[in-house]
Amino acid sequence: MIKKTLILIIGIGVGFLGILQWRSYEEVRNLAVRGSQSDIDHEIAILITTNQSLRDQLADLEKQKTELSSSYLVNQRIQENFDKAQILAGQVAVEGEGISISLKITPTLAELTDLLNEIAQLGAEAIAINGVRLTNQTAGISAFNNELVFNGEVLSLPLRLDAIGNAFILKEGVDKTDSTLQNIRQRSAQGDVETLTVEKIIKI
């Protein structure tokens, strides 16, 4: 809406300036047949004043254009920050590419915490554990009787971690030899740890 208003204002201003400039040009052409030198001097003075007015109006239009553009960019930045805050708070569904990790063995609390931190540092926009979104409103992760508890529920196997973000960067990061996921893989049986890249993950 702001862009359309800006284009309309500039269009009207340019059209108005064009008409005035054309009239000024016609008046200059007719100066020779209008009378005495004093009349010509008077006409020239009027034209100079008119041209200065046109330049002032053009400068004012340019100023309005700049102010409207700045206002649009500020509003756009505010909206982007608001959208990001909603995503982090888990208030909106998130959809996009990412990775899915399946664990058939229970990691320690320290391992799971480190793994989640590593995924977040790799640029994940959203993370879910067994389909439950990890946000600042979830109850957190704890250990009880050799079991992991997340958001008040015991985590059952297989444990699934979904993360939305750049799939290549996420998978490359968790598959590094010194990553937490690799430490879990080294002490587990073959097939107990799987990492998949996915085209689309939806979390609520």
Side-chain angles (χ1 to χ4, degrees):
M1 184 62 183
I2 294 177
K3 285 187 176 179
K4 290 182 179 179
T5 303
L6 177 60
I7 292 172
L8 178 60
I9 292 174
I10 294 174
I12 293 174
V14 171
F16 177 69
L17 295 178
I19 292 173
L20 290 180
Q21 191 67 37
W22 176 80
R23 290 180 61 185
S24 299
Y25 174 73
E26 288 297 320
E27 290 175 0
V28 171
R29 291 182 57 190
N30 295 326
L31 283 178
V33 296
R34 286 195 176 184
S36 65
Q37 182 64 43
S38 61
D39 291 333
I40 294 175
D41 292 341
H42 179 66
E43 294 288 349
I44 291 175
I46 292 175
L47 289 177
I48 291 174
T49 302
T50 301
N51 287 335
Q52 182 59 48
S53 177
L54 291 175
R55 285 193 291 270
D56 291 342
Q57 291 180 47
L58 181 60
D60 186 59
L61 285 173
E62 288 292 341
K63 181 180 178 181
Q64 292 181 40
K65 175 184 175 182
T66 301
E67 290 175 350
L68 286 172
S69 297
S70 299
S71 177
Y72 172 76
L73 291 175
V74 169
N75 290 334
Q76 188 179 44
R77 186 66 58 82
I78 292 174
Q79 185 61 48
E80 289 175 354
N81 290 336
F82 178 74
D83 293 341
K84 289 180 180 178
Q86 281 192 311
I87 291 175
L88 293 175
Q91 296 179 355
V92 294
V94 181
E95 178 179 319
E97 66 173 285
I99 62 170
S100 183
I101 300 172
S102 176
L103 300 175
K104 294 180 181 179
I105 63 169
T106 303
T108 66
L109 178 60
E111 287 175 333
L112 182 57
T113 301
D114 289 343
L115 178 57
L116 292 173
N117 286 333
E118 289 174 7
I119 292 174
Q121 291 173 4
L122 289 169
E125 298 176 8
I127 304 172
I129 304 175
N130 283 0
V132 178
R133 182 87 163 270
L134 181 63
T135 72
N136 57 359
Q137 298 179 359
T138 49
I141 306 170
S142 59
F144 181 74
N145 290 337
N146 296 323
E147 292 182 313
L148 294 176
V149 179
F150 171 59
N151 203 33
E153 299 289 337
V154 175
L155 289 175
S156 59
L157 297 179
L159 184 66
R160 192 181 82 252
L161 303 180
D162 294 321
I164 286 183
N166 186 301
F168 175 79
I169 292 176
L170 291 173
K171 189 171 189 307
E172 185 180 56
V174 298
D175 283 344
K176 284 184 177 180
T177 55
D178 58 347
S179 70
T180 300
L181 187 64
Q182 290 307 305
N183 291 335
I184 298 173
R185 180 177 276 123
Q186 288 175 4
R187 67 175 180 80
S188 63
Q190 186 175 2
D192 282 349
V193 179
E194 294 184 32
T195 308
L196 302 173
T197 57
V198 291
E199 293 183 358
K200 185 180 296 185
I201 303 175
I202 301 176
K203 293 187 283 290
I204 303 299

